[in-house]
Amino acid sequence: EREYKLVDYLDQTVIHFSLNGNLIPKDSDEGRRQSIRSITEAGSHWCVFSQAAGEGEGEEEEEGAGDEAAEEPEAAEAAEPAEAEEPPPPKGPEKKLQNQFNFIERASTTPFNPLRERGCQSEPIPSLNFSDTVRQWDIYDAYVEELQRMEKAKEKEKSKPQAVKKEEEEKRGARKLSHVEVQYVDPITRVAKAAKIAERMVTLNTFDDIAQDFKYFEDASDEFRAQQGTLLPLWNFQYEKTKKLAVTAISWNPKYKDLFAVGYGSYDFMKQGHGMVLLYTLKNPSFPEYIFSSNSGVMCLDFNSEHPHLMAVGFYDGNVAIYSLRKETSQPSYKSSAQSGKHSGPVWQVKWQKDDMDNNSNFFSVSSDGRIVSWTLVKNELVHMDVIKLSAEGTMQGPEGLQLQTLGCGTSFDFHKKIDYLFLVGTEEGKIYKCSKNYSRQFLDVFEAHHMAVDTVSWNPFHLKVFISCSSDWTVKIWDHTIKTPMFVYDLSCAVGDVAWSPYSSTVFAAVTIDGKAHVFDLNINKHEALCTQLVVTRKKNKTTHIQFNPFFPIIIVGDERGLVTSLKLSPNLRKMPKEKKGQEVKKGPEVEMAKLEKLLSLVREPKDKA
């Protein structure tokens, strides 16, 4: 019928070995004969009863000896014709040989447990031999010991605090079931892994030409364009239920280099609704690996670098939540509430930090309410602490002539890669604050960065002093945090939605603008213009919102307002490495990248110092 049919149950049983036993039904003739024989043999083994019966018979013989002597002639006369008529005794049934290795028919099928200590010095119960009895008690003792061990383990688990239980669960991870723990698994779940592999194989065959380009294609025309490059479109990732939602966040998983998460929501205040978090893999662009739904729009997300299965998510309604990829449920493992200190405005960004001194996972969030909040996972609940509150300059006229201090609206932030306490916060007013975790009431420095909201601020992964910012005022600026003025300013002639540093070079970064274009810069090649400006979104009235570099492969992913995520491969000119000189080895690493960017910055600083 050219369609898939749902099979409720599919019998996958294959018999590899079968053995026919020689048990006999009790109602059969052979069964009756064996039961009679076992009863007659049992009488000879019970010493107490036989001994008592022997003594009684001896007394009767002494008392009635005379009577027997008198009756002997009469009995002899009566016995003569009986003996003449008696037929020969029938042959007894042949003794059945038992299979010494067939334990099912022996001790394990005994309907009762023999006593360990007997009341008299007699032989064992006739239906069992002694070795079978010992073996059965060994098995019984083993089961009792296992049961006691499991009960003690349960008591210990109950007495442990919640924090210890959480640590042990994380260490064990997805613990496999032992032979004692048997659970029913439906047929669909049994073949889920095989079906996933088959689906990836079919998808790989379907998109084989794109997979070949991803692995092997290099734009040969770059040889004739010294300072220009191109972006080769690869896979498109889109889910049916997210076509009316905008891509509000993108994050690559720190452990699995092909896995990334996409957050869906809306930047329009009048069109707020539900949100979603989807996790895609490059191995299967046709359908997401994980799907999480929420009642409020998703504004930001971030993976934990130490625990890659944990994902922090910020929502438009001010809540934050933690999702675990190890749990099969689509609900968050932990979520804030009005009682636990949720934000009163949209959460624009979340960032994981290193575990604290007590090995508790923690992350930070920034919101339009001006609060920078630290969230710590303690005893299976989120504990919040306000790190700093942003305050705008000036006061606001309140009722009855009261002067009210206005709060700043945080839109983005980023923590320093080496200095743990140092972080930057971008605001809706266009300012960038340099803050410290140690000071909650004052800022280390303030940068008059942009004329409109700061959409993104990010430290350079190689150079410790450099950070980049972008804004809706059409500009991208590169800063040295020790200098109040920007080192480089780029006007992209359109509102900039996002900017990101490359993970392989200190001088390469990319930005997206709301006109649907992606811009890739390399300061080492051209300090004034982009090496590549390419249209990524083809539909009208569609805007690109976010961009991210893959930390391992030479590709970028771009999200737009229609829920579409596009992957593009960088041409060789956009990912140039230092040239190899004769007689010298090419040096690579963070120190080399930092020195390369420092050299460029020194050229910019010199004219300013002279002025």
Side-chain angles (χ1 to χ4, degrees):
E1 298 178 16
R2 301 182 66 81
E3 63 180 10
Y4 291 102
K5 294 289 187 180
L6 179 63
V7 180
D8 293 334
Y9 179 77
L10 185 62
D11 188 8
Q12 301 287 353
T13 305
V14 177
I15 300 175
H16 296 286
F17 175 75
S18 63
L19 175 66
N20 296 324
N22 52 6
L23 295 176
I24 301 171
K26 292 182 178 180
D27 299 336
S28 63
D29 295 337
E30 179 65 22
R32 294 192 188 95
R33 284 195 292 271
Q34 288 193 12
S35 62
I36 294 171
R37 185 182 63 192
S38 63
I39 293 172
T40 55
E41 290 178 357
S44 62
H45 292 285
W46 296 96
C47 66
V48 175
F49 301 105
S50 62
Q51 189 174 0
E55 293 175 357
E57 288 175 0
E59 292 175 357
E60 290 177 359
E61 285 177 359
E62 291 176 0
E63 293 175 357
D67 298 337
E68 288 181 0
E71 295 175 359
E72 253 180 21
E74 298 176 2
E77 292 175 2
E80 286 177 0
E83 289 177 358
E85 296 176 2
E86 186 178 354
K91 293 182 178 180
E94 296 181 0
K95 189 174 182 180
K96 187 178 176 184
L97 296 177
Q98 289 186 348
N99 183 0
Q100 295 297 322
F101 298 95
N102 193 349
F103 300 106
I104 298 175
E105 297 181 1
R106 300 173 68 195
S108 60
T109 58
T110 307
F112 55 87
N113 287 329
L115 298 176
R116 296 196 184 192
E117 297 179 359
R118 308 201 180 278
C120 64
Q121 296 179 354
S122 62
E123 297 181 6
I125 294 176
S127 61
L128 300 172
N129 58 38
F130 184 72
S131 62
D132 291 338
T133 307
V134 173
R135 188 185 302 110
Q136 187 181 26
W137 277 113
D138 289 342
I139 296 172
Y140 176 78
D141 291 341
Y143 274 99
V144 171
E145 290 176 2
E146 178 69 13
L147 185 61
Q148 292 174 351
R149 186 188 65 78
M150 291 175 65
E151 289 177 353
K152 290 180 180 178
K154 288 181 180 179
E155 291 177 358
K156 288 182 180 179
E157 284 291 328
K158 291 180 180 179
S159 61
K160 285 181 180 178
Q162 293 292 336
V164 177
K165 288 183 182 179
K166 177 208 164 194
E167 291 178 7
E168 292 182 354
E169 286 177 1
E170 289 181 351
K171 290 179 182 178
R172 287 196 299 265
R175 181 170 55 88
K176 295 182 179 179
L177 295 176
S178 64
H179 63 281
V180 180
E181 299 170 322
V182 181
Q183 292 185 356
Y184 171 75
V185 181
D186 60 279
I188 301 299
T189 306
R190 291 179 183 176
V191 297
K193 186 175 181 180
K196 181 181 289 187
I197 296 173
E199 182 186 17
R200 290 183 178 182
M201 293 171 65
V202 172
T203 305
L204 184 63
N205 292 334
T206 305
F207 299 101
D208 181 64
D209 53 343
I210 298 179
Q212 296 295 331
D213 290 342
F214 164 74
K215 188 70 177 176
Y216 302 109
F217 179 79
E218 301 292 351
D219 194 348
S221 62
D222 274 17
E223 297 180 5
F224 307 99
R225 297 177 299 192
Q227 295 188 1
Q228 290 183 356
T230 58
L231 297 172
L232 176 68
L234 297 175
W235 301 282
N236 291 331
F237 302 85
Q238 189 162 33
Y239 187 51
E240 189 68 26
K241 296 182 180 180
T242 60
K243 286 186 176 180
K244 294 183 179 180
L245 298 175
V247 175
T248 54
I250 299 176
S251 178
W252 288 96
N253 189 280
K255 182 177 181 181
Y256 301 100
K257 52 190 176 182
D258 61 300
L259 187 68
F260 64 94
V262 185
Y264 294 89
S266 177
Y267 288 116
D268 191 345
F269 176 76
M270 301 299 294
K271 295 181 180 180
Q272 288 303 317
H274 73 286
M276 297 188 77
V277 176
L278 303 182
L279 274 80
Y280 287 101
T281 174
L282 300 179
K283 299 175 182 178
N284 183 14
S286 61
F287 198 80
E289 294 289 305
Y290 298 89
I291 300 174
F292 302 101
S293 300
S294 62
N295 296 327
S296 180
V298 175
M299 292 288 104
C300 53
L301 56 85
D302 188 37
F303 278 109
N304 190 325
S305 58
E306 297 179 1
H307 310 286
H309 65 281
L310 294 179
M311 180 175 58
V313 179
F315 299 98
Y316 191 87
D317 62 0
N319 278 313
V320 295
I322 297 177
Y323 289 86
S324 176
L325 303 185
R326 290 179 178 174
K327 295 185 178 180
E328 296 181 358
T329 177
S330 61
Q331 298 301 317
S333 302
Y334 313 98
K335 190 175 182 179
S336 64
S337 62
Q339 292 80 14
S340 61
K342 61 164 277 191
H343 290 281
S344 58
V347 181
W348 294 115
Q349 199 161 2
V350 290
K351 286 283 185 181
W352 284 99
Q353 291 296 289
K354 295 180 180 178
D355 292 354
D356 60 14
M357 300 295 290
D358 298 326
N359 292 326
N360 294 322
S361 300
N362 68 98
F363 66 95
F364 285 69
S365 63
V366 62
S367 170
S368 295
D369 61 3
R371 295 165 58 210
I372 311 294
V373 182
S374 170
W375 302 89
T376 306
L377 190 59
V378 180
K379 295 183 179 180
N380 291 334
E381 65 176 354
L382 283 175
V383 179
H384 81 285
M385 182 183 70
D386 287 358
V387 177
I388 198 168
K389 287 186 178 181
L390 304 177
S391 58
E393 293 182 358
T395 57
M396 180 176 163
Q397 189 74 20
E400 299 180 359
L402 294 176
Q403 296 294 324
L404 302 178
Q405 186 176 5
T406 57
L407 295 176
C409 298
T411 56
S412 60
F413 72 146
D414 192 26
F415 287 85
H416 199 275
K417 303 296 185 290
K418 296 294 183 180
I419 307 173
D420 293 336
Y421 62 84
L422 189 63
F423 64 97
L424 299 168
V425 182
T427 64
E428 203 171 275
E429 297 81 25
K431 296 180 180 180
I432 297 178
Y433 296 97
K434 184 167 70 172
C435 308
S436 172
K437 296 179 184 178
N438 302 327
Y439 301 99
S440 61
R441 295 189 177 275
Q442 63 182 21
F443 309 117
L444 300 181
D445 208 343
V446 180
F447 299 89
E448 299 290 341
H450 297 274
H451 301 291
M452 297 181 70
V454 180
D455 293 322
T456 303
V457 59
S458 176
W459 289 98
N460 188 287
F462 299 99
H463 200 290
L464 302 181
K465 294 183 178 180
V466 178
F467 67 91
I468 195 170
S469 65
C470 71
S471 170
S472 301
D473 65 358
W474 300 8
T475 61
V476 173
K477 298 182 180 182
I478 298 176
W479 305 77
D480 184 330
H481 78 88
T482 60
I483 303 175
K484 285 293 191 73
T485 56
M487 309 298 293
F488 296 95
V489 179
Y490 298 97
D491 190 341
L492 302 185
S493 303
C494 196
V496 184
D498 193 13
V499 67
W501 290 106
S502 75
Y504 55 84
S505 174
S506 63
T507 59
V508 176
F509 65 92
V512 289
T513 50
I514 62 172
D515 58 354
K517 294 181 180 179
H519 309 260
V520 182
F521 292 80
D522 189 346
L523 302 178
N524 196 35
I525 297 175
N526 191 335
K527 297 189 289 292
H528 307 288
E529 296 179 351
L531 299 187
C532 174
T533 299
Q534 186 168 318
L535 189 66
V536 178
V537 178
T538 56
R539 291 184 181 181
K540 294 181 179 179
K541 296 182 180 180
N542 193 6
K543 304 174 183 178
T544 49
T545 55
H546 285 275
I547 186 170
Q548 281 292 327
F549 282 86
N550 184 287
F552 300 96
F553 302 121
I555 64 172
I556 59 175
I557 50 177
V558 179
D560 61 26
E561 280 195 336
R562 301 291 179 88
L564 178 67
V565 178
T566 306
S567 58
L568 305 107
K569 185 176 182 180
L570 301 166
S571 66
N573 278 356
L574 302 181
R575 45 188 170 91
K576 278 187 176 180
M577 303 303 290
K579 292 184 179 180
E580 184 177 353
K581 296 181 181 180
K582 292 183 179 180
Q584 294 183 0
E585 294 183 0
V586 178
K587 295 182 179 180
K588 299 179 181 179
E591 296 179 357
V592 176
E593 293 296 332
M594 186 174 68
K596 184 170 65 173
L597 184 56
E598 180 63 31
K599 183 178 179 181
L600 292 171
L601 295 177
S602 62
L603 297 175
V604 178
R605 291 192 193 105
E606 284 179 3
K608 292 185 179 182
D609 294 340
K610 291 179 180 178

